[in-house]
Amino acid sequence: MQFHLNGFKPGNYQIPDSVREPDPIPPIVDLPKEVDVLIVGCGPAGLAMARQLSEFTDITTCIVDLEEGPLIFGRADGISCRTIEIMEGFNSSEMIVKESYKLNQNTFWEPDNIKPENIKRTHKIADARIGLSEFAHGIVNQARLHELLLEGMKNSVTHLVPHYSRRLLELDVDPNLTQDLNAHPITAKFELNDDSQSPKTETVRAKYVVGCDGARSAVRRGLSIPLEGDSANKAWGVMDLLLVTDFPDIRVKSFIQSKEHGAVMTIPREGGYLCRFYVELALLGEDQRASDLNLKVEDVIAKAQQIMHPYKLDVKEVAWWSIYEVGQRVAERFDDTPVDNPENLIPRAFVAGDACHTHSPKGGWGLNTSLPDTFNLGWKVAAVLQGKCKPELLQTYSSERRKVAFQLIEADRELSKLVATRPTSDNDAPEAKTNTADIEKFMARQNGFVAGTAIEYYPSYISTGQENQHLASGFNIGQRFHSAEAIRVADGYRQHLGHLNKADGRWRIFIFGNKQNPTEASSDSYKLIEFIANSESSPIQKYTPEGTDIDSVFDVYAVFQQQDLSIEDMPDFLWPTKGKYGLRDYEKVFHAEKGNDIFEQRNIDRANGCMVIVRPDQHIANILPLNAYDELSAFFDEFMI
């Protein structure tokens, strides 16, 4: 898709630029007095949390934001493979895939040895993340991602919409009520942040609060949680430009290091014309902020022109620009319990996204770490509120995501140093020589983390079973379910199995059959299905509420090696009757495809088969043998009610 040819216009890219108009400012609606979950902040973390909770009619959610309406442009641009996988869980990946710019190549530029004041291309390579997911790393306006999440919230069964123009004044957590799950220990006082109306304050009481309100989080301050780490000592400029240039790699992600003037990273944006520039600026003094430099956008453009000499930058329009500082910090705690939680308290207040980890904004790392924060937290809060899981489940959010935050900080610290390092000449000692090849090595080494596909939650009682990893070594326990295709038995449709893992709070169990005929009662697959469907100790029988569909809590799928199967020969449990009419579900049984065999691609043990248990956040919780009935029950008995 191409757009922005005659100037940048934000909004829905399905509407032509010539007629696209910004949405009106949302009306002010009074805040509710009491809710189950209060979310502060409409960034990617807050909206991902709200999008999940919007699917549950028995959970009342309120999301508020300081701004007068949705984000229009600016901020992050990179959408990682993993983020698109999550958006597929919300049934919203198609527009991102269609509209985003796909990063297929990286190019590296250094000072010319003959004319050091000029830059020259050293080499061009394929993007290291290609092949890590069925989705490619894309570039699209963060506001468009927000728009898709907001659209899903509004169109959900609860029709959830944010309350804008609200400033959080006070946040109180009553310690006498936090261990009473039916209580509302959170009291939040807001001020209407709207100049057109009289000053007004509102109070909301909540069972849980989630602070997704950015690096200067009022929620984090209210919880007295400090940020720990390095303060900023480097300023960078970021610009989204429509420009005419003779720089040949303007439509390729480029790392550019000059001899004397610093570095630039360019990233082509969606639409075919827009481009983002990250420009190295000045060192900051102690206690100095980037805003103290009093730079204008013309100064940032001039610096980029110096770095990219001899190429010309004729900037026609600046869609958005900002100055930021490079610093890496992580919150001491991600919830309201004490460090290490010695008394095993149940958390009732959480921080997520930039509210608990800050870093330089290159490549959209903030967005692509923030959204998975609450994708991890959302299903847990919902499961506890609905009485499906023990409240101790909420303690796993901090332990799982804080580990990821530290990995992010270390990666950001290393990349920031590499990008800002002045290149050395061939005359320097080998141990002192640095160049863009170091950046290339870093990206190759960190490609899984940058893509989000190598993020791992392990070990814990909801990510366990490492002794059975050999049964499916291509499905790494603790990491997200790496999708692959199989053929649906009922109609021959080729289905990405990972796309069955929707963000609806349900657990998935994938049965990968062995070489035995699954239709024979003596086969391991048949016996397992009999246990799951009929045994009183089966988690499906034990934890599925009476009167609900059999897959309302656990969604079970079967994938077989045999290709001459018929749906009518399958056990009834694999094509169950559902809904008020008792209609059959024909979409739970698959077989491997010749030449595109999931058993080969994910190295699944053909002789023995296995069960792969997938959490509601798409991460693999356990792998078990087909005959591990007791282990299957024991796994869920640990945390389910």
Side-chain angles (χ1 to χ4, degrees):
M1 296 181 65
Q2 289 185 312
F3 33 86
H4 303 324
L5 176 61
N6 295 309
F8 174 82
K9 294 190 74 172
N12 187 341
Y13 298 142
Q14 304 303 309
I15 302 173
D17 283 349
S18 58
V19 296
R20 188 187 314 145
E21 296 294 337
D23 292 331
I25 295 174
I28 300 295
V29 178
D30 288 346
L31 296 179
K33 302 295 184 182
E34 191 172 274
V35 296
D36 291 322
V37 183
L38 172 64
I39 304 167
V40 182
C42 282
L47 292 177
M49 184 80 185
R51 178 67 184 90
Q52 289 181 84
L53 297 180
S54 70
E55 294 296 327
F56 305 110
T57 56
D58 53 349
I59 296 175
T60 56
T61 304
C62 174
I63 179 169
V64 301
D65 195 77
L66 179 64
E67 301 299 328
E68 65 178 7
L71 179 70
I72 297 177
F73 51 78
R75 302 187 186 174
D77 55 0
I79 309 295
S80 75
C81 311
R82 176 66 189 131
T83 297
I84 304 177
E85 291 176 1
I86 291 173
M87 293 300 290
E88 171 58 33
F90 293 132
N91 291 312
S92 299
S93 68
E94 288 186 4
M95 285 296 99
I96 295 176
V97 171
K98 187 173 184 179
E99 296 174 5
S100 64
Y101 188 86
K102 310 303 183 297
L103 285 181
N104 293 307
Q105 293 181 318
N106 296 326
T107 186
F108 300 88
W109 292 72
E110 293 180 1
D112 191 317
N113 288 331
I114 299 175
K115 290 187 175 182
E117 67 275 16
N118 294 346
I119 57 170
K120 68 171 183 178
R121 183 199 295 129
T122 60
H123 59 298
K124 186 184 292 186
I125 61 170
D127 190 87
R129 293 161 292 202
I130 293 175
L132 295 178
S133 169
E134 70 273 22
F135 298 113
H137 190 98
I139 304 296
V140 74
N141 188 350
Q142 179 178 329
R144 186 64 175 126
L145 184 79
H146 288 196
E147 189 174 25
L148 293 170
L149 291 169
L150 287 164
E151 184 179 274
M153 290 161 51
K154 185 176 181 180
N155 293 334
S156 71
V157 65
T158 58
H159 306 296
L160 181 61
V161 295
H163 294 266
Y164 292 104
S165 299
R166 295 322 201 282
R167 182 189 306 278
L168 179 62
L169 297 177
E170 298 175 14
L171 181 72
D172 179 70
V173 182
D174 188 339
N176 298 316
L177 298 177
T178 55
Q179 301 312 295
D180 178 1
L181 295 183
N182 294 316
H184 293 72
I186 313 296
T187 302
K189 184 178 180 181
F190 293 93
E191 178 183 56
L192 188 60
N193 187 41
D194 185 352
D195 295 335
S196 65
Q197 298 191 22
S198 303
K200 178 182 178 181
T201 59
E202 299 166 285
T203 299
V204 180
R205 297 176 65 243
K207 292 183 178 179
Y208 300 94
V209 64
V210 186
C212 307
D213 48 341
R216 300 176 186 176
S217 169
V219 173
R220 189 186 66 237
R221 289 199 307 272
L223 298 175
S224 300
I225 299 176
L227 282 176
E228 301 174 335
D230 300 329
S231 60
N233 63 355
K234 189 77 174 181
W236 286 71
V238 56
M239 306 179 291
D240 286 332
L241 306 175
L242 292 169
L243 77 166
V244 176
T245 179
D246 56 353
F247 179 67
D249 289 336
I250 197 64
R251 299 308 297 169
V252 181
K253 182 177 181 179
S254 300
F255 297 90
I256 305 161
Q257 289 183 323
S258 68
K259 181 66 176 176
E260 301 292 342
H261 301 294
V264 166
M265 183 167 70
T266 68
I267 301 177
R269 295 291 304 266
E270 69 278 14
Y273 306 104
L274 196 66
C275 187
R276 172 160 291 193
F277 278 53
Y278 291 98
V279 184
E280 183 184 3
L281 300 174
L283 286 171
L284 297 175
E286 188 175 353
D287 298 326
Q288 188 180 22
R289 302 298 303 268
S291 57
D292 298 335
L293 299 176
N294 295 318
L295 294 174
K296 300 178 180 179
V297 67
E298 291 80 9
D299 300 318
V300 184
I301 293 171
K303 186 65 181 295
Q305 179 69 82
Q306 283 183 315
I307 296 169
M308 298 178 68
H309 188 271
Y311 299 102
K312 305 300 182 184
L313 306 178
D314 182 8
V315 176
K316 301 298 184 181
E317 183 178 323
V318 180
W320 174 79
W321 76 285
S322 183
I323 305 291
Y324 67 87
E325 302 127 16
V326 175
Q328 295 86 17
R329 293 187 174 187
V330 177
E332 177 193 61
R333 298 170 283 123
F334 280 20
D335 60 43
D336 62 326
T337 62
V339 175
D340 298 328
N341 198 5
E343 297 182 26
N344 201 37
L345 300 175
I346 304 303
R348 303 298 287 265
F350 307 87
V351 286
D354 287 353
C356 56
H357 44 72
T358 63
H359 48 86
S360 64
K362 299 184 192 70
W365 284 11
L367 180 155
N368 294 293
T369 306
S370 298
L371 190 147
D373 277 350
T374 49
F375 197 65
N376 177 294
L377 178 62
W379 70 271
K380 297 174 182 177
V381 171
V384 172
L385 281 168
Q386 293 175 319
K388 294 179 180 178
C389 290
K390 299 174 184 177
E392 286 79 8
L393 180 67
L394 298 175
Q395 297 167 347
T396 64
Y397 164 70
S398 182
S399 60
E400 290 183 340
R401 291 305 299 176
R402 200 159 181 267
K403 173 185 174 183
V404 175
F406 279 110
Q407 292 172 325
L408 167 70
I409 293 307
E410 288 305 311
D412 180 64
R413 182 179 287 116
E414 184 177 357
L415 180 60
S416 296
K417 182 178 179 181
L418 287 172
V419 171
T421 298
R422 186 168 297 174
T424 54
S425 69
D426 293 334
N427 297 325
D428 290 321
E431 63 271 15
K433 185 173 177 58
T434 59
N435 52 41
T436 52
D438 297 315
I439 300 175
E440 179 185 348
K441 292 175 184 176
F442 168 86
M443 298 303 294
R445 186 174 69 253
Q446 293 279 7
N447 62 345
F449 179 79
V450 174
T453 57
I455 300 301
E456 183 175 275
Y457 305 145
Y458 179 82
S460 75
Y461 60 85
I462 53 171
S463 288
T464 186
Q466 197 72 27
E467 65 274 12
N468 298 312
Q469 181 67 79
H470 66 280
L471 294 175
S473 60
F475 288 125
N476 292 308
I477 295 172
Q479 296 184 14
R480 102 307 188 195
F481 182 93
H482 188 183
S483 186
E485 293 176 321
I487 302 299
R488 199 158 59 201
V489 167
D491 58 2
Y493 177 75
R494 181 182 291 109
Q495 170 74 56
H496 253 293
L497 296 184
H499 298 183
L500 301 171
N501 298 318
K502 297 303 181 185
D504 55 14
R506 291 190 292 172
W507 288 77
R508 266 75 187 183
I509 299 176
F510 289 87
I511 298 170
F512 290 95
N514 56 23
K515 291 186 176 181
Q516 299 168 340
N517 186 338
T519 64
E520 295 180 359
S522 60
S523 70
D524 293 335
S525 297
Y526 194 99
K527 291 178 181 178
L528 171 61
I529 294 164
E530 280 292 303
F531 166 78
I532 289 176
N534 300 310
S535 173
E536 291 183 358
S537 60
S538 161
I540 284 76
Q541 299 303 317
K542 192 182 300 185
Y543 300 117
T544 301
E546 187 175 351
T548 62
D549 288 335
I550 193 62
D551 60 0
S552 62
V553 178
F554 301 93
D555 200 8
V556 180
Y557 297 93
V559 187
F560 299 117
Q561 300 178 48
Q562 297 79 6
Q563 297 174 353
D564 54 345
L565 300 173
S566 298
I567 190 67
E568 68 270 18
D569 296 328
M570 295 292 113
D572 284 350
F573 179 80
L574 291 181
W575 54 312
T577 56
K578 296 163 53 179
K580 69 176 183 179
Y581 294 123
L583 303 181
R584 288 277 195 176
D585 187 338
Y586 294 94
E587 300 186 358
K588 293 182 180 292
V589 186
F590 301 85
H591 68 74
E593 181 181 15
K594 288 183 179 179
N596 187 32
D597 192 324
I598 186 173
F599 284 80
E600 291 181 4
Q601 293 172 359
R602 299 297 172 258
N603 200 21
I604 301 167
D605 189 322
R606 288 188 179 278
N608 295 298
C610 66
M611 288 181 274
V612 176
I613 302 170
V614 184
R615 300 171 9 164
D617 58 7
Q618 303 174 342
H619 281 251
I620 295 174
N622 204 341
I623 294 177
L624 293 170
L626 294 178
N627 60 359
Y629 311 147
D630 292 342
E631 292 88 340
L632 177 64
S633 297
F635 172 77
F636 288 105
D637 288 345
E638 180 76 19
F639 57 89
M640 294 201 75
I641 298 174

